[in-house]
Amino acid sequence: SAVEVGGSAYLQAIVRDITERKEMEDQVRQLAFCDPLTKLANRRLLYDRLNSAIATSKRRGCYGALLFCDLDNFKPLNDTHGHAVGDLLLVEAADRLKRCVREIDILARFGGDEFVVILSELDADKAESVSRAYMVAEKIRTNLSEPYALVINQEGKVDITIEHRCTASIGVALFINHEASQDDILKWADTAMYQAKKAGRNLIRFHD
């Protein structure tokens, strides 16, 4: 605000440190949109980003793809060694997934041992888009099938390393300029994923 002192005008300002408030806002945003274990997008943010990818597909006339990934033998690890070890596997799987996608792609933990990848702006040609989506899916399948060395830190004791093999079944659904809903696309990819499991697991299947 402007004040007048001795016939001269001065500008008076109040400076506040809002760093703490911004940090609080960031924490609230992270809790709302991120999975606390893997730090990936959660289901709420996934739906928002999928909506954006569908809009981009319509606007640019390019295919997008949604990949639904389910770890094949996650439950036996949980049952044998407990949820803490299962969590270690999920964190490692998330890190491997991050290395398989581009910065513009969306990676989310859908729930449990299920992950979703949204590939946006593939190509206007369907065959080329299928090829690109398959390459990413195969890269994911290969990386997730590598052996896991899960280290359990024990205070005052020697760390324990548990070796585990875990493959993934992957369903893929392409989308472009159509009126399908987010739930439709997710259902298509989920159905394809179950087809991969029924066919023997550690496989990739596309929604027809």
Side-chain angles (χ1 to χ4, degrees):
S1 61
V3 295
E4 187 172 317
V5 179
S8 299
Y10 294 87
L11 186 65
Q12 180 178 307
I14 299 174
V15 179
R16 294 174 179 167
D17 186 355
I18 62 170
T19 302
E20 185 176 348
R21 190 186 76 187
K22 293 294 293 181
E23 289 177 349
M24 288 289 292
E25 289 175 352
D26 289 342
Q27 289 176 7
V28 171
R29 190 177 298 108
Q30 184 172 10
L31 288 171
F33 296 110
C34 292
D35 172 58
L37 177 64
T38 63
K39 309 308 181 196
L40 300 179
N42 62 14
R43 191 179 299 200
R44 179 179 177 184
L45 182 56
L46 168 67
Y47 274 93
D48 179 73
R49 296 298 171 82
L50 178 54
N51 187 54
S52 296
I54 292 171
T56 299
S57 171
K58 290 181 179 181
R59 185 172 66 253
R60 300 190 177 181
C62 286
Y63 279 90
L66 188 142
L67 283 61
F68 204 111
C69 310
D70 185 271
L71 302 181
D72 289 326
N73 50 339
F74 175 72
K75 189 175 183 298
L77 177 70
N78 253 357
D79 292 344
T80 303
H81 299 288
H83 291 284
V85 177
D87 287 349
L88 291 176
L89 177 63
L90 292 173
V91 171
E92 174 61 24
D95 288 340
R96 294 185 186 189
L97 283 164
K98 291 174 187 176
R99 298 194 291 267
C100 295
V101 299
R102 306 166 298 176
E103 286 188 9
I104 66 170
D105 299 325
I106 307 302
L107 177 58
R109 183 184 177 199
F110 195 72
D113 60 341
E114 297 173 329
F115 298 90
V116 169
V117 180
I118 301 173
L119 306 177
S120 59
E121 301 179 47
L122 291 174
D123 198 88
D125 180 71
K126 184 175 182 179
E128 177 63 22
S129 297
V130 168
S131 177
R132 292 186 186 183
Y134 179 81
M135 285 191 293
V136 176
E138 177 60 19
K139 186 176 181 181
I140 289 172
R141 189 196 64 79
T142 301
N143 275 268
L144 291 181
S145 66
E146 291 294 321
Y148 293 80
L150 308 171
V151 180
I152 304 175
N153 298 313
Q154 301 187 109
E155 188 175 349
K157 298 180 181 179
V158 178
D159 293 346
I160 298 175
T161 300
I162 295 173
E163 295 185 359
H164 183 71
R165 287 189 173 272
C166 189
T167 57
S169 296
I170 303 174
V172 186
L174 266 65
F175 57 88
I176 196 169
N177 185 19
H178 53 59
E179 298 304 320
S181 68
Q182 297 169 326
D183 288 334
D184 286 335
I185 296 170
L186 280 162
K187 183 178 180 180
W188 295 343
D190 184 51
T191 300
M193 180 273 292
Y194 277 105
Q195 290 173 350
K197 281 190 177 293
K198 288 178 65 176
R201 303 187 177 191
N202 194 25
L203 296 170
I204 300 165
R205 289 290 183 268
F206 277 73
H207 169 75
D208 188 0

